[in-house]
Amino acid sequence: MTLVFSLFLFSCLGPETTVTNIVNPDGSVLRRIEMKNSENHFQNKQLKVPVDSSWTFVDSITISEKGDTTWFRTAEKLFINTEEINKAYLCDSGVNREVARSAFFKRKFKWF
């Protein structure tokens, strides 16, 4: 019972977060962090990915038909290539710093 309660408590402490890496045809990588919360309270320390002033932030809200308000914060950064994003992984000081990660981009063509 205590375990269930603690899981419920800790799951409600932060915003719902999605991290997406989009690889463009030129090899650049757009990293997007989308957070969704039931209150207008976002802190960068809640992010699983360290961010700095080189990131672009956009805040928005939606109001449901029932009058419920949901706040969104989106952070994006364009990395020029996978080597640059791998350097960011190595310098990670956030909660995922112990996780081994790497990115690579390999082009393949059907006629080769």
Side-chain angles (χ1 to χ4, degrees):
M1 181 70 164
T2 304
L3 176 62
V4 173
F5 178 72
S6 64
L7 288 174
F8 174 74
L9 179 65
F10 289 114
S11 66
C12 296
L13 290 179
E16 180 182 321
T17 304
T18 304
V19 179
T20 307
N21 293 317
I22 302 165
V23 180
N24 297 310
D26 65 356
S28 63
V29 180
L30 177 66
R31 187 157 220 204
R32 178 179 297 143
I33 304 167
E34 298 170 301
M35 293 187 295
K36 175 182 172 182
N37 207 356
S38 59
E39 56 186 38
N40 190 13
H41 182 72
F42 296 102
Q43 295 179 352
N44 287 347
K45 69 180 181 178
Q46 294 172 316
L47 291 173
K48 308 289 189 254
V49 178
V51 296
D52 57 25
S53 60
S54 64
W55 288 72
T56 303
F57 291 89
V58 175
D59 293 332
S60 60
I61 64 169
T62 61
I63 301 173
S64 72
E65 291 179 8
K66 295 179 181 179
D68 297 327
T69 304
T70 304
W71 282 266
F72 298 92
R73 173 167 285 173
T74 302
E76 290 185 340
K77 180 174 181 175
L78 182 64
F79 295 87
I80 57 171
N81 55 33
T82 56
E83 184 177 312
E84 190 176 291
I85 201 167
N86 285 329
K87 287 179 186 177
Y89 285 149
L90 291 173
C91 297
D92 189 344
S93 60
V95 294
N96 288 325
R97 67 184 167 272
E98 299 297 324
V99 178
R101 297 167 285 169
S102 65
F104 67 94
F105 178 69
K106 184 175 180 180
R107 293 181 189 206
K108 284 189 171 184
F109 300 97
K110 291 181 181 180
W111 54 87
F112 284 89

